[in-house]
Amino acid sequence: SHEDPCWSSQGLIAYRDNGIVFPLHPGGAYHVDLSLRGTWVLDPETGEAERILSDGWCQAWSPDGSKLALMLGDGQIYTMNADGTGLTQLTFSESNAYPDWSPDGDRIAWKQSGGSASGVWIMSSSGENQEPVFPLSTCPDWHPTADVLLCEGWYDSAQDQGGIFEYDLVSESVTVLREHVGNIGSVQPRYSPDGSRIAFCELDVTGTASGDDIWSVWVMDADGSNAGQLTWDGGSRPSWSPDGTRLAYAREIWDYWDAGASDDGVLWVVDVETGEHEQLTFQWEAE
């Protein structure tokens, strides 16, 4: 029910709430409360959350925490103020997702699908000067101190080599950090605030949580070494806390719609060093 967490430099977490009300009906059918669906902002210290927009996915904070970039239901990228005001459309064609701000806040990288140049694009934060930078890739994340984009996808034109890689916008060089192996994909990479580590998701084919393959949260050093798994009960879209000690993520189990467990489909946080987990958001219960 909750997805796409994004931690701001001010300590707030924006996320998508699908408005699903529990308990689920037999067979996995569910009810959506439209008054709950949309973009929410959570203070993880107090637990207080507020809906600021009735739409939105792939939320991304500007470096100073004053604005959000996000995708709306029309498949276009918008920006808005942190309180949901000032909604401004930036893209107007094709399908667009996964916006991410440059460290100075002047540019936004994003994924465009469709047309002759599907892949990662860059534009100014006002929507001007849109240009493709790397094809066949997605989920760009800007290095906190360098003109380098962390991406996932195919890094060769033949589309037979894929994984997580860095693309240097100045030298136009590619550095592969983690290759796809067989049916194991590494996705949704995100730099830590100091750029020393990378969080990402990988398919856990052991199925330890539910008997099925699930996505789990991992962390590795910025050069791709010392990769280690952090979650075994499902996890997607990891986002670093401002101090780099914790990761917020969405807990997702493949058989979630059948199980409907109270700790599934909501946001959790994990301490990167200790592995301690804490539930951040909770399911909406039918009255």
Side-chain angles (χ1 to χ4, degrees), residues 220-243:
M220 64 183 175
D221 292 343
D223 62 0
S225 63
N226 299 316
Q229 188 172 349
L230 281 181
T231 70
W232 282 263
D233 294 315
S236 66
R237 295 302 301 274
S239 179
W240 293 89
S241 63
D243 62 5

Side-chain angles (χ1 to χ4, degrees), residues 111 119-120 134-140 150-156 159-166 174 176 178-180 185-189:
K111 157 72 178 208
V120 171
F134 201 90
L136 307 172
S137 55
T138 187
C139 288
L150 183 65
C151 302
E152 62 165 277
W154 304 107
Y155 44 82
D156 72 319
Q159 300 185 45
D160 58 9
Q161 292 180 302
I164 294 174
F165 62 94
E166 290 178 322
V174 172
V176 178
R178 191 167 181 84
E179 297 181 353
H180 291 333
S186 303
V187 301
Q188 304 166 351

Side-chain angles (χ1 to χ4, degrees), residues 103-138:
D104 59 10
D106 289 343
R107 292 172 290 170
I108 292 175
W110 85 99
K111 157 72 178 208
Q112 183 186 102
S113 301
S116 59
S118 294
V120 171
W121 286 55
I122 290 179
M123 61 183 161
S124 70
S125 57
S126 61
E128 301 172 339
N129 304 316
Q130 299 184 8
E131 59 178 343
V133 294
F134 201 90
L136 307 172
S137 55
T138 187

Side-chain angles (χ1 to χ4, degrees), residues 26-197:
Y30 57 91
H31 170 69
V32 173
D33 186 334
L34 296 181
S35 70
L36 302 175
R37 189 170 65 182
T39 298
W40 287 68
V41 174
L42 166 73
D43 184 336
E45 301 304 320
T46 65
E48 296 182 0
E50 177 185 8
R51 189 176 78 152
I52 62 172
L53 194 70
S54 60
D55 199 348
W57 287 265
C58 307
Q59 293 81 358
W61 290 100
S62 62
D64 64 2
S66 66
K67 290 180 176 292
L68 280 163
L70 70 168
M71 176 191 79
L72 295 194
D74 60 0
Q76 303 304 320
I77 302 297
Y78 293 73
T79 57
M80 65 181 180
N81 298 323
D83 61 0
T85 63
L87 189 67
T88 302
Q89 186 171 354
L90 301 187
T91 64
F92 294 85
S93 64
E94 311 304 343
S95 179
N96 306 275
Y98 306 117
D100 188 69
W101 301 73
S102 61
D104 59 10
D106 289 343
R107 292 172 290 170
I108 292 175
W110 85 99
K111 157 72 178 208
Q112 183 186 102
S113 301
S116 59
S118 294
V120 171
W121 286 55
I122 290 179
M123 61 183 161
S124 70
S125 57
S126 61
E128 301 172 339
N129 304 316
Q130 299 184 8
E131 59 178 343
V133 294
F134 201 90
L136 307 172
S137 55
T138 187
C139 288
D141 185 53
W142 226 298
H143 192 283
T145 61
D147 231 8
V148 172
L149 289 175
L150 183 65
C151 302
E152 62 165 277
W154 304 107
Y155 44 82
D156 72 319
S157 58
Q159 300 185 45
D160 58 9
Q161 292 180 302
I164 294 174
F165 62 94
E166 290 178 322
Y167 179 67
D168 191 308
L169 294 167
V170 178
S171 67
E172 299 184 349
S173 60
V174 172
T175 302
V176 178
L177 302 178
R178 191 167 181 84
E179 297 181 353
H180 291 333
V181 179
N183 66 340
I184 306 301
S186 303
V187 301
Q188 304 166 351
R190 286 295 178 264
Y191 287 115
S192 62
D194 64 0
S196 67
R197 307 181 83 180

Side-chain angles (χ1 to χ4, degrees), residues 204-214 216 229 231-234 253:
D204 178 6
V205 296
T206 62
T208 54
S210 64
D212 295 312
D213 298 344
I214 59 173
S216 300
Q229 188 172 349
T231 70
W232 282 263
D233 294 315
I253 305 295

